[in-house]
Amino acid sequence: MIESYLFPIRYALLTFPIAALLFTLPFLIIQYRMYGYVNKFRGFVVYSALLYLITAYYLVILPLPDTTHTCTASGNTFTQWIPFQFVQDFWRETALDIHIPSTYAVLFKERAVLQVLFNVLLLVPLGMFLRYYFRFSFLWTTAAAFGLSLFFEWTQYTGLYGFYDCPYRLFDIDDLMLNTIGGMLGYALMKLFSKVLPSMDQLDDKVDLSLIRVGYVRRFIAFQIDWVTLIPFAVFLYFFGNPIYFAALVVAYFIILPYMTNGITLGKYIVRIRLAGRGDRIRLTELIVRYGLLYFLLGGIHALGLYAAVQFHSVILGWMILVPLLAVDILFAGHLAYRLYNREKGLFYETKSGTRHIVS
């Protein structure tokens, strides 16, 4: 029976990296917006909770049946509505004799005992996470544990949301009870662990946001948000407008808008950073130098080169254009790698313009 529990755990460990990768972007954005930086310990707790939820879900649905036609395999009984039925199962299935102490040792090898034990343990971590990280009250933790258990039972009852003809596991009222008790138990146990763990309310007390270095990951997220915002307008201008209109769009968004908002674009606003210059307020000339070098020099070289390669249908000319562009990209990649290693200096367009990113 232990193997039936280890099997879903192995799959959870295998799929966790993929889930974590998809989860990282929204996690970072939320952390930047709420706290202004990413605390490593808070991140460890959140990703631990993610791994736990994946594992709990897999324990509920795995192993899957070999066929989608499960009505015959399931019989006609899909629900169990009698509370404390597990007590009767325990006395019927176990070899326990209270008068013979030697029978006590085999209790934790009995299916009826293990099933009850694992149903309780399933949501113990949930109660601990809800109390420690989310600061839930006992009542809300109990309600959340019941709600998650009900979701698990409904998943089973619907045959994985209709993928199977019939339920392949029993909707059991006892499971609801035991899972909820597990969440309540986890809430109570967290009081002991909280004495040795740092308080979530005090993690940021000694953090000075003015000293936080804005990393390239944070800047890249802001960059992505900005360009995802501009893509629909850029596509429209590409097909229906003059190229000069696209240049005007870049000027308006990356130069005029930050000048009016003191260094903030939509992407920077979302991740709580802004551009700062040599003074208290960023100057228009600083923005012109910064984005002139980045988008009109570096980006313009690529735009003109690709445009020429498309317009002139010559393989030789195409290679004559693309090879220098590739050389420029290699140089910029090396420059970026060096600046990642030597964080004291910014990228070339930052040092020339005297601009930098700070936490807003």
mmCIF file of all heavy atoms in Angstrom, residues 117-144:
data_model
loop_
_atom_site.group_PDB
_atom_site.id
_atom_site.type_symbol
_atom_site.label_atom_id
_atom_site.label_comp_id
_atom_site.label_asym_id
_atom_site.label_seq_id
_atom_site.Cartn_x
_atom_site.Cartn_y
_atom_site.Cartn_z
ATOM 1 N N LEU A 117 -4.868 7.272 8.488
ATOM 2 C CA LEU A 117 -3.689 8.065 8.820
ATOM 3 C C LEU A 117 -3.307 9.001 7.676
ATOM 4 O O LEU A 117 -3.075 10.203 7.882
ATOM 5 C CB LEU A 117 -2.525 7.143 9.164
ATOM 6 C CG LEU A 117 -1.210 7.818 9.567
ATOM 7 C CD1 LEU A 117 -1.394 8.643 10.829
ATOM 8 C CD2 LEU A 117 -0.105 6.775 9.753
ATOM 9 N N PHE A 118 -3.275 8.477 6.461
ATOM 10 C CA PHE A 118 -2.883 9.300 5.326
ATOM 11 C C PHE A 118 -3.947 10.339 4.974
ATOM 12 O O PHE A 118 -3.622 11.419 4.486
ATOM 13 C CB PHE A 118 -2.570 8.424 4.108
ATOM 14 C CG PHE A 118 -1.236 7.752 4.186
ATOM 15 C CD1 PHE A 118 -1.122 6.377 4.170
ATOM 16 C CD2 PHE A 118 -0.075 8.503 4.290
ATOM 17 C CE1 PHE A 118 0.110 5.758 4.257
ATOM 18 C CE2 PHE A 118 1.171 7.894 4.374
ATOM 19 C CZ PHE A 118 1.267 6.517 4.358
ATOM 20 N N ASN A 119 -5.210 10.017 5.210
ATOM 21 C CA ASN A 119 -6.263 11.008 4.968
ATOM 22 C C ASN A 119 -6.135 12.186 5.930
ATOM 23 O O ASN A 119 -6.439 13.326 5.562
ATOM 24 C CB ASN A 119 -7.646 10.367 5.127
ATOM 25 C CG ASN A 119 -8.141 9.748 3.830
ATOM 26 O OD1 ASN A 119 -7.914 10.276 2.747
ATOM 27 N ND2 ASN A 119 -8.809 8.618 3.930
ATOM 28 N N VAL A 120 -5.704 11.928 7.143
ATOM 29 C CA VAL A 120 -5.475 13.013 8.104
ATOM 30 C C VAL A 120 -4.228 13.797 7.716
ATOM 31 O O VAL A 120 -4.229 15.031 7.677
ATOM 32 C CB VAL A 120 -5.353 12.462 9.532
ATOM 33 C CG1 VAL A 120 -4.928 13.566 10.498
ATOM 34 C CG2 VAL A 120 -6.672 11.849 9.988
ATOM 35 N N LEU A 121 -3.153 13.085 7.404
ATOM 36 C CA LEU A 121 -1.878 13.745 7.098
ATOM 37 C C LEU A 121 -1.921 14.551 5.802
ATOM 38 O O LEU A 121 -1.131 15.485 5.632
ATOM 39 C CB LEU A 121 -0.762 12.706 7.000
ATOM 40 C CG LEU A 121 -0.379 11.992 8.306
ATOM 41 C CD1 LEU A 121 0.685 10.940 8.032
ATOM 42 C CD2 LEU A 121 0.122 13.000 9.339
ATOM 43 N N LEU A 122 -2.857 14.212 4.895
ATOM 44 C CA LEU A 122 -2.894 14.844 3.586
ATOM 45 C C LEU A 122 -2.990 16.366 3.678
ATOM 46 O O LEU A 122 -2.323 17.093 2.919
ATOM 47 C CB LEU A 122 -4.073 14.293 2.767
ATOM 48 C CG LEU A 122 -4.217 14.840 1.345
ATOM 49 C CD1 LEU A 122 -3.023 14.416 0.494
ATOM 50 C CD2 LEU A 122 -5.524 14.364 0.717
ATOM 51 N N LEU A 123 -3.786 16.890 4.598
ATOM 52 C CA LEU A 123 -3.989 18.332 4.688
ATOM 53 C C LEU A 123 -3.347 18.964 5.920
ATOM 54 O O LEU A 123 -3.589 20.147 6.194
ATOM 55 C CB LEU A 123 -5.481 18.665 4.661
ATOM 56 C CG LEU A 123 -6.221 18.333 3.362
ATOM 57 C CD1 LEU A 123 -7.576 19.023 3.318
ATOM 58 C CD2 LEU A 123 -5.420 18.723 2.130
ATOM 59 N N VAL A 124 -2.520 18.212 6.644
ATOM 60 C CA VAL A 124 -1.781 18.811 7.754
ATOM 61 C C VAL A 124 -0.872 19.932 7.261
ATOM 62 O O VAL A 124 -0.856 21.030 7.845
ATOM 63 C CB VAL A 124 -0.979 17.740 8.523
ATOM 64 C CG1 VAL A 124 0.037 18.388 9.459
ATOM 65 C CG2 VAL A 124 -1.932 16.852 9.331
ATOM 66 N N PRO A 125 -0.105 19.745 6.179
ATOM 67 C CA PRO A 125 0.730 20.860 5.694
ATOM 68 C C PRO A 125 -0.089 22.076 5.278
ATOM 69 O O PRO A 125 0.366 23.211 5.432
ATOM 70 C CB PRO A 125 1.470 20.247 4.495
ATOM 71 C CG PRO A 125 1.476 18.778 4.751
ATOM 72 C CD PRO A 125 0.167 18.499 5.415
ATOM 73 N N LEU A 126 -1.300 21.849 4.756
ATOM 74 C CA LEU A 126 -2.134 22.979 4.360
ATOM 75 C C LEU A 126 -2.436 23.874 5.557
ATOM 76 O O LEU A 126 -2.305 25.104 5.473
ATOM 77 C CB LEU A 126 -3.445 22.491 3.736
ATOM 78 C CG LEU A 126 -4.425 23.600 3.353
ATOM 79 C CD1 LEU A 126 -3.918 24.374 2.153
ATOM 80 C CD2 LEU A 126 -5.819 23.027 3.071
ATOM 81 N N GLY A 127 -2.840 23.252 6.657
ATOM 82 C CA GLY A 127 -3.119 24.027 7.863
ATOM 83 C C GLY A 127 -1.903 24.790 8.348
ATOM 84 O O GLY A 127 -2.019 25.931 8.817
ATOM 85 N N MET A 128 -0.728 24.182 8.203
ATOM 86 C CA MET A 128 0.502 24.843 8.638
ATOM 87 C C MET A 128 0.829 26.031 7.737
ATOM 88 O O MET A 128 1.178 27.115 8.215
ATOM 89 C CB MET A 128 1.654 23.834 8.642
ATOM 90 C CG MET A 128 1.416 22.656 9.577
ATOM 91 S SD MET A 128 2.720 21.400 9.510
ATOM 92 C CE MET A 128 4.038 22.247 10.361
ATOM 93 N N PHE A 129 0.726 25.850 6.435
ATOM 94 C CA PHE A 129 1.008 26.944 5.500
ATOM 95 C C PHE A 129 0.018 28.095 5.679
ATOM 96 O O PHE A 129 0.403 29.258 5.651
ATOM 97 C CB PHE A 129 0.943 26.438 4.059
ATOM 98 C CG PHE A 129 2.170 25.716 3.600
ATOM 99 C CD1 PHE A 129 2.098 24.402 3.160
ATOM 100 C CD2 PHE A 129 3.410 26.342 3.598
ATOM 101 C CE1 PHE A 129 3.230 23.727 2.738
ATOM 102 C CE2 PHE A 129 4.553 25.677 3.171
ATOM 103 C CZ PHE A 129 4.458 24.364 2.742
ATOM 104 N N LEU A 130 -1.258 27.764 5.851
ATOM 105 C CA LEU A 130 -2.270 28.811 5.960
ATOM 106 C C LEU A 130 -2.069 29.656 7.211
ATOM 107 O O LEU A 130 -2.264 30.874 7.193
ATOM 108 C CB LEU A 130 -3.673 28.194 5.957
ATOM 109 C CG LEU A 130 -4.125 27.578 4.633
ATOM 110 C CD1 LEU A 130 -5.529 26.988 4.771
ATOM 111 C CD2 LEU A 130 -4.090 28.582 3.505
ATOM 112 N N ARG A 131 -1.675 29.020 8.298
ATOM 113 C CA ARG A 131 -1.463 29.783 9.529
ATOM 114 C C ARG A 131 -0.174 30.578 9.474
ATOM 115 O O ARG A 131 -0.141 31.757 9.876
ATOM 116 C CB ARG A 131 -1.451 28.846 10.727
ATOM 117 C CG ARG A 131 -1.205 29.592 12.045
ATOM 118 C CD ARG A 131 -1.380 28.719 13.240
ATOM 119 N NE ARG A 131 -1.289 29.502 14.486
ATOM 120 C CZ ARG A 131 -1.551 29.029 15.694
ATOM 121 N NH1 ARG A 131 -1.940 27.763 15.834
ATOM 122 N NH2 ARG A 131 -1.447 29.796 16.746
ATOM 123 N N TYR A 132 0.878 29.962 8.971
ATOM 124 C CA TYR A 132 2.193 30.603 9.020
ATOM 125 C C TYR A 132 2.346 31.690 7.966
ATOM 126 O O TYR A 132 2.744 32.815 8.268
ATOM 127 C CB TYR A 132 3.284 29.547 8.846
ATOM 128 C CG TYR A 132 4.687 30.113 8.876
ATOM 129 C CD1 TYR A 132 5.172 30.747 10.013
ATOM 130 C CD2 TYR A 132 5.511 30.010 7.766
ATOM 131 C CE1 TYR A 132 6.461 31.267 10.047
ATOM 132 C CE2 TYR A 132 6.800 30.524 7.788
ATOM 133 C CZ TYR A 132 7.265 31.152 8.929
ATOM 134 O OH TYR A 132 8.534 31.677 8.957
ATOM 135 N N TYR A 133 2.038 31.379 6.710
ATOM 136 C CA TYR A 133 2.303 32.326 5.629
ATOM 137 C C TYR A 133 1.126 33.278 5.396
ATOM 138 O O TYR A 133 1.312 34.493 5.263
ATOM 139 C CB TYR A 133 2.614 31.579 4.328
ATOM 140 C CG TYR A 133 2.992 32.500 3.190
ATOM 141 C CD1 TYR A 133 4.274 33.025 3.112
ATOM 142 C CD2 TYR A 133 2.060 32.859 2.220
ATOM 143 C CE1 TYR A 133 4.626 33.881 2.081
ATOM 144 C CE2 TYR A 133 2.399 33.717 1.194
ATOM 145 C CZ TYR A 133 3.684 34.222 1.124
ATOM 146 O OH TYR A 133 4.025 35.083 0.110
ATOM 147 N N PHE A 134 -0.076 32.720 5.342
ATOM 148 C CA PHE A 134 -1.234 33.549 5.006
ATOM 149 C C PHE A 134 -1.932 34.125 6.233
ATOM 150 O O PHE A 134 -2.883 34.884 6.088
ATOM 151 C CB PHE A 134 -2.237 32.733 4.181
ATOM 152 C CG PHE A 134 -1.709 32.324 2.836
ATOM 153 C CD1 PHE A 134 -1.212 31.051 2.641
ATOM 154 C CD2 PHE A 134 -1.700 33.215 1.779
ATOM 155 C CE1 PHE A 134 -0.727 30.660 1.397
ATOM 156 C CE2 PHE A 134 -1.218 32.846 0.542
ATOM 157 C CZ PHE A 134 -0.725 31.567 0.352
ATOM 158 N N ARG A 135 -1.492 33.764 7.423
ATOM 159 C CA ARG A 135 -2.020 34.300 8.675
ATOM 160 C C ARG A 135 -3.518 34.042 8.819
ATOM 161 O O ARG A 135 -4.276 34.879 9.321
ATOM 162 C CB ARG A 135 -1.738 35.801 8.795
ATOM 163 C CG ARG A 135 -0.358 36.258 8.336
ATOM 164 C CD ARG A 135 0.764 35.562 9.045
ATOM 165 N NE ARG A 135 0.800 35.892 10.465
ATOM 166 C CZ ARG A 135 1.604 35.292 11.341
ATOM 167 N NH1 ARG A 135 2.420 34.314 10.932
ATOM 168 N NH2 ARG A 135 1.590 35.645 12.594
ATOM 169 N N PHE A 136 -3.976 32.865 8.375
ATOM 170 C CA PHE A 136 -5.389 32.511 8.493
ATOM 171 C C PHE A 136 -5.748 32.252 9.950
ATOM 172 O O PHE A 136 -4.923 31.755 10.720
ATOM 173 C CB PHE A 136 -5.697 31.265 7.673
ATOM 174 C CG PHE A 136 -6.047 31.538 6.232
ATOM 175 C CD1 PHE A 136 -5.506 32.623 5.560
ATOM 176 C CD2 PHE A 136 -6.908 30.706 5.540
ATOM 177 C CE1 PHE A 136 -5.813 32.875 4.231
ATOM 178 C CE2 PHE A 136 -7.232 30.941 4.217
ATOM 179 C CZ PHE A 136 -6.685 32.030 3.561
ATOM 180 N N SER A 137 -6.989 32.542 10.282
ATOM 181 C CA SER A 137 -7.515 32.165 11.596
ATOM 182 C C SER A 137 -7.872 30.685 11.590
ATOM 183 O O SER A 137 -7.889 30.035 10.534
ATOM 184 C CB SER A 137 -8.749 32.996 11.933
ATOM 185 O OG SER A 137 -9.819 32.670 11.035
ATOM 186 N N PHE A 138 -8.167 30.160 12.765
ATOM 187 C CA PHE A 138 -8.527 28.744 12.858
ATOM 188 C C PHE A 138 -9.793 28.455 12.055
ATOM 189 O O PHE A 138 -9.889 27.420 11.368
ATOM 190 C CB PHE A 138 -8.734 28.357 14.323
ATOM 191 C CG PHE A 138 -9.161 26.925 14.522
ATOM 192 C CD1 PHE A 138 -8.249 25.892 14.393
ATOM 193 C CD2 PHE A 138 -10.479 26.620 14.817
ATOM 194 C CE1 PHE A 138 -8.638 24.567 14.557
ATOM 195 C CE2 PHE A 138 -10.877 25.303 14.981
ATOM 196 C CZ PHE A 138 -9.953 24.278 14.866
ATOM 197 N N LEU A 139 -10.765 29.350 12.120
ATOM 198 C CA LEU A 139 -12.025 29.144 11.405
ATOM 199 C C LEU A 139 -11.807 29.136 9.903
ATOM 200 O O LEU A 139 -12.315 28.248 9.189
ATOM 201 C CB LEU A 139 -13.020 30.240 11.794
ATOM 202 C CG LEU A 139 -14.413 30.139 11.151
ATOM 203 C CD1 LEU A 139 -15.083 28.835 11.559
ATOM 204 C CD2 LEU A 139 -15.277 31.336 11.545
ATOM 205 N N TRP A 140 -11.019 30.100 9.400
ATOM 206 C CA TRP A 140 -10.769 30.155 7.960
ATOM 207 C C TRP A 140 -9.905 28.979 7.498
ATOM 208 O O TRP A 140 -10.074 28.476 6.383
ATOM 209 C CB TRP A 140 -10.094 31.469 7.587
ATOM 210 C CG TRP A 140 -11.061 32.606 7.448
ATOM 211 C CD1 TRP A 140 -11.221 33.659 8.287
ATOM 212 C CD2 TRP A 140 -12.014 32.781 6.400
ATOM 213 N NE1 TRP A 140 -12.212 34.491 7.840
ATOM 214 C CE2 TRP A 140 -12.716 33.988 6.670
ATOM 215 C CE3 TRP A 140 -12.352 32.052 5.266
ATOM 216 C CZ2 TRP A 140 -13.731 34.466 5.841
ATOM 217 C CZ3 TRP A 140 -13.364 32.530 4.439
ATOM 218 C CH2 TRP A 140 -14.038 33.717 4.726
ATOM 219 N N THR A 141 -8.991 28.546 8.322
ATOM 220 C CA THR A 141 -8.182 27.372 7.986
ATOM 221 C C THR A 141 -9.051 26.132 7.885
ATOM 222 O O THR A 141 -8.896 25.321 6.958
ATOM 223 C CB THR A 141 -7.084 27.159 9.039
ATOM 224 O OG1 THR A 141 -6.238 28.310 9.086
ATOM 225 C CG2 THR A 141 -6.238 25.934 8.706
ATOM 226 N N THR A 142 -9.967 25.966 8.828
ATOM 227 C CA THR A 142 -10.890 24.825 8.806
ATOM 228 C C THR A 142 -11.748 24.860 7.539
ATOM 229 O O THR A 142 -11.935 23.833 6.871
ATOM 230 C CB THR A 142 -11.791 24.836 10.044
ATOM 231 O OG1 THR A 142 -10.970 24.815 11.224
ATOM 232 C CG2 THR A 142 -12.723 23.639 10.052
ATOM 233 N N ALA A 143 -12.263 26.050 7.205
ATOM 234 C CA ALA A 143 -13.086 26.190 6.006
ATOM 235 C C ALA A 143 -12.277 25.893 4.741
ATOM 236 O O ALA A 143 -12.768 25.236 3.811
ATOM 237 C CB ALA A 143 -13.679 27.597 5.942
ATOM 238 N N ALA A 144 -11.023 26.368 4.702
ATOM 239 C CA ALA A 144 -10.175 26.122 3.536
ATOM 240 C C ALA A 144 -9.844 24.635 3.404
ATOM 241 O O ALA A 144 -9.823 24.100 2.289
ATOM 242 C CB ALA A 144 -8.894 26.943 3.638
#
